[in-house]
Amino acid sequence: MSEAIRRRISAYSLLAPGTLWLVIFFVIPLYFMAKLSLDVEIPGTLHYEFVWHWANYKEALELYDTQFVRSFIYAGIATLLCLIIAYPLAYVIAFKAGRWRNLMLFAVVAPFFTTYLVRTLAWETILSDESPVTEFLHAIGLAPSGHILATGFAVIAGITYNFLPFMVLPLYASLERIDTRVLEASKDLYASASSTFWKVTLPLSLPGVVAGTLLTFIPAVGDYVNAEFLGGVNNRMIGNVIQSLYLTQNDYPAAAALSFVLMAVIMIVVFVYIRFAGSEALMGQEAV
Amino acid sequence: MSATPATTPGRGSLSAETSAARAWRWLREHAVNIVAVLVVLYLLIPIVVIFVFSFNNPAGRYNFTWVGFTLKHWAHPFSNSELTNAMLTSIKLALLATVVSTIIGTMMAIALVRHKFAGRRIANFLIVIPMATPEVVMGASLLSFFLILDQSLLGFTTLLIAHVMFCISFVVVVVRSRLIGFDRSLEEAAKDLGAGPFTTFRLVTFPLILPGIFGAAMLAFALSIDDFVISNFNAGTTVTFPLYIFGAAQRGIPVEVYVVAMLLFFVTVVAMGFATWQQRRAEKMTAIRPEQEESDIVLPGIA
């Protein structure tokens, strides 16, 4: 057996278990879900029959278009807020933190070490009517008057908080990679601090901006924990609908159809966004 | 870092500045630092809230408003057997998912970095796509799959399958980045000294990528123990820690949940400290060049 063939065999055998796992438990389930989304229930039974029933899509979208659009709006606003909040922090960690750098990075990932659901419950306390934070937000006019809980404001606040580290880490990674001599050169050429930022630092950090917005936006659109704990009936997102159709109402075809549309729309949004922002921005980026 | 030299020419007029103007200037120079500190505080607020409320003594079933200080929940964090069992299930699940996904993922990472083969792009795509899919979609599709196969499968096994599935990609990404910044000449030296491929792997490659594998394993463990969405779809009647909390949220969360969450927090912090220390030690022991690009050049006679 030649060396080349032996190497190829060892490559494929190293690759096989993981590839099989992902194909069997990620790709094939997507196929089954596609099939399920075109099923019709055999009346009176809990069994389904595959009949290319495209009306499932039409009915599901007509019923839940509000939640669908709302998910994208909430996730979009939260992503934008994350970017605005995360950028100064990532900038300071990359360029100014000095010996505080590791401690600040620790603070960024620390929320991950508390359980996601408990973290969100903590926000339920923070945004409750008696909390000082609520009083402060009311005083400065940032929050809607009255209750904050069970409003879109609370849901967006929760999403923003929970996904913030996903924005900070890629931003930090791309800012940290910038050669500081480039920034010095800009200063030597009499650029002001602000034009150095807008013309040098920010463009060089764009890969981080693209990666961060995607890593925040994608999970945020599908999230339903924040809407469940912090929102009310009028703040349900598409994730809430999918999970209740699947797990309590057992309307599998409608739920499968909605999941598919969700995935398709996200893919289109991501594709257009990457086209717009430049694909090389994303590829070389390590998420974590 | 500050622009001190640039401001020196203006020193003469500085004394004429009012203190208000000076304060304003200080604020302007440090504005971004102040914002960063505020963001750090924002990130830490809920952790503080969880810690404080783990000492709360709520009157009713809801632990949302402060009533009074008590140590009783810290004294008996595992008195609630439902919660304890859920936590044990979570730990068992996370350990198993970590072991399986770390082994499989590391093998994949080695294949992707060290070998050239047809279908490499597809393999890369297969790894990226689960990370770009919302969890609801993954959970829902996997449930569709199990419903069609056999509904009675739902339980610990399906949870394990699901957790390994979403951990693999992250393991590959972490281990791969370690392999890319790897000094290949050390392996070549081992081979020159007569070591076979397995001996080289065991004595040189493995110890060098071990910090990466350890980091990947920690990430997998953290992802698994914290997963709610995918588990919610595929758990059947099995209850993990996040699923317990979700179920309890409607009838009131026992304070012990906050205590257990804090215990988990402290354990993770210690484990992360240990991992960082390991990594530093490994980096000191060998000269790893992080800038080195992935190279497929294999010197003749060595491969």
Side-chain angles (χ1 to χ4, degrees):
Chain A
M1 206 168 16
S2 84
E3 185 62 41
I5 292 175
R6 203 180 310 149
R7 275 186 72 83
R8 198 166 305 153
I9 289 174
S10 81
Y12 285 125
S13 52
L14 282 171
L15 208 60
T19 311
L20 281 177
W21 203 290
L22 289 177
V23 168
I24 297 174
F25 300 120
F26 178 75
V27 180
I28 293 179
L30 285 176
Y31 163 76
F32 276 104
M33 191 167 73
K35 207 165 151 281
L36 194 57
S37 73
L38 298 167
D39 277 5
V40 160
E41 192 187 338
I42 304 163
T45 65
L46 272 172
H47 294 281
Y48 296 89
E49 180 174 41
F50 180 72
V51 287
W52 293 104
H53 193 68
W54 290 100
N56 285 338
Y57 280 83
K58 192 169 157 267
E59 284 159 20
L61 281 177
E62 274 170 6
L63 263 174
Y64 302 109
D65 57 340
T66 337
Q67 286 88 337
F68 213 97
V69 174
R70 186 184 290 139
S71 301
F72 280 85
I73 293 174
Y74 283 5
I77 297 174
T79 306
L80 207 63
L81 286 173
C82 277
L83 183 61
I84 295 168
I85 298 171
Y87 206 102
L89 177 60
Y91 184 88
V92 167
I93 299 177
F95 296 124
K96 298 180 159 220
R99 64 201 165 92
W100 297 100
R101 176 184 284 197
N102 282 337
L103 203 66
M104 288 177 96
L105 279 174
F106 170 75
V108 172
V109 290
F112 283 149
F113 304 158
T114 61
T115 310
Y116 181 34
L117 297 194
V118 179
R119 228 184 298 153
T120 314
L121 284 172
W123 276 100
E124 209 168 328
T125 300
I126 295 169
L127 297 176
S128 67
D129 294 344
E130 306 84 25
S131 123
V133 173
T134 304
E135 278 168 31
F136 175 72
L137 287 173
H138 279 151
I140 62 170
L142 244 176
S145 53
H147 299 295
I148 291 185
L149 284 179
T151 64
F153 181 90
V155 179
I156 293 171
I159 296 177
T160 306
Y161 176 80
N162 275 318
F163 297 115
L164 189 61
F166 290 127
M167 185 68 90
V168 180
L169 293 175
L171 276 179
Y172 162 72
S174 72
L175 283 167
E176 198 249 1
R177 221 170 286 167
I178 295 177
D179 189 341
T180 45
R181 285 174 300 183
V182 180
L183 306 182
E184 278 159 28
S186 165
K187 208 193 273 172
D188 290 346
L189 295 168
Y190 300 107
S192 67
S194 77
S195 66
T196 299
F197 176 77
W198 292 106
K199 292 192 173 151
V200 184
T201 316
L202 185 65
L204 284 174
S205 69
L206 273 185
V209 174
V210 174
T213 43
L214 287 177
L215 283 172
T216 311
F217 183 76
I218 295 170
V221 178
D223 181 79
Y224 62 87
V225 173
N226 291 286
E228 185 77 38
F229 283 178
L230 305 172
V233 214
N234 294 322
N235 315 108
R236 321 235 105 215
M237 292 170 68
I238 198 66
N240 303 78
V241 175
I242 294 175
Q243 82 109 29
S244 90
L245 283 178
Y246 253 108
L247 300 174
T248 53
Q249 301 172 41
N250 293 341
D251 187 352
Y252 303 127
L258 283 176
S259 304
F260 250 100
V261 179
L262 176 65
M263 196 171 160
V265 176
I266 287 177
M267 291 232 165
I268 293 167
V269 170
V270 168
F271 184 77
V272 170
Y273 180 69
I274 290 177
R275 259 294 148 92
F276 178 71
S279 61
E280 75 281 0
L282 186 69
M283 287 337 262
Q285 196 71 36
E286 300 291 352
V288 182
Chain B
M1 293 286 156
S2 69
T4 335
T7 53
T8 332
R11 279 277 167 202
S13 61
L14 200 92
S15 52
E17 255 181 356
T18 63
S19 59
R22 222 175 302 154
W24 173 240
R25 225 181 43 164
W26 185 89
L27 258 180
R28 264 183 48 183
E29 270 169 22
H30 295 270
V32 64
N33 295 12
I34 295 166
V35 172
V37 170
L38 288 176
V39 176
V40 166
L41 291 178
Y42 166 70
L43 281 162
L44 298 180
I45 286 173
I47 303 175
V48 174
V49 169
I50 296 167
F51 187 63
V52 169
F53 275 74
S54 70
F55 294 103
N56 195 12
N57 193 8
R61 290 177 303 155
Y62 292 95
N63 187 18
F64 286 127
T65 43
W66 182 256
V67 179
F69 181 87
T70 176
L71 281 171
K72 68 178 180 205
H73 305 293
W74 275 91
H76 306 284
F78 301 110
S79 57
N80 183 329
S81 65
E82 238 184 298
L83 167 61
T84 311
N85 288 335
M87 197 65 219
L88 289 176
T89 308
S90 269
I91 291 172
K92 201 169 98 185
L93 177 64
L95 283 175
L96 281 170
T98 302
V99 170
V100 178
S101 64
T102 306
I103 294 172
I104 295 179
T106 304
M107 286 164 67
M108 267 185 119
I110 291 173
L112 286 168
V113 174
R114 290 305 173 76
H115 296 271
K116 263 208 141 117
F117 51 89
R120 216 173 116 137
R121 285 181 71 100
I122 300 173
N124 270 318
F125 185 69
L126 197 61
I127 288 156
V128 172
I129 203 86
M131 295 196 288
T133 309
E135 278 191 289
V136 230
V137 176
M138 272 201 268
S141 66
L142 208 49
L143 176 61
S144 312
F145 178 65
F146 292 134
L147 283 177
I148 287 171
L149 273 186
D150 180 6
Q151 203 156 350
S152 64
L153 282 175
L154 290 173
F156 191 83
T157 323
T158 51
L159 278 176
L160 182 60
I161 289 172
H163 282 219
V164 171
M165 187 267 288
F166 69 70
C167 287
I168 289 177
S169 303
F170 290 95
V171 172
V172 175
V173 168
V174 173
V175 177
R176 187 170 56 185
S177 69
R178 183 82 195 177
L179 276 166
I180 289 173
F182 184 95
D183 191 349
R184 294 288 285 269
S185 60
L186 292 166
E187 285 177 335
E188 284 153 20
K191 280 176 188 164
D192 288 349
L193 293 170
F198 284 104
T199 319
T200 308
F201 181 81
R202 193 168 57 87
L203 294 177
V204 181
T205 318
F206 184 71
L208 282 175
I209 61 171
L210 193 60
I213 297 176
F214 193 74
M218 283 215 2
L219 182 62
F221 188 86
L223 287 169
S224 167
I225 207 159
D226 202 24
D227 178 74
F228 166 70
V229 175
I230 295 177
S231 305
N232 192 26
F233 278 92
N234 295 292
T237 53
T238 307
V239 180
T240 63
F241 181 53
L243 289 175
Y244 170 80
I245 298 170
F246 192 72
Q250 272 102 47
R251 41 199 164 92
I253 307 271
V255 182
E256 283 81 7
V257 165
Y258 289 68
V259 177
V260 173
M262 275 331 284
L263 286 174
L264 204 59
F265 176 80
F266 291 130
V267 170
T268 321
V269 170
V270 170
M272 210 181 87
F274 178 73
T276 319
W277 176 70
Q278 276 281 313
Q279 187 121 6
R280 290 243 174 96
R281 220 171 57 120
E283 260 151 35
K284 247 181 247 165
M285 270 159 53
T286 59
I288 285 163
R289 295 177 238 155
E291 299 304 326
Q292 195 179 34
E293 276 304 307
E294 172 179 3
S295 86
D296 289 297
I297 308 160
V298 179
L299 294 178
I302 293 171

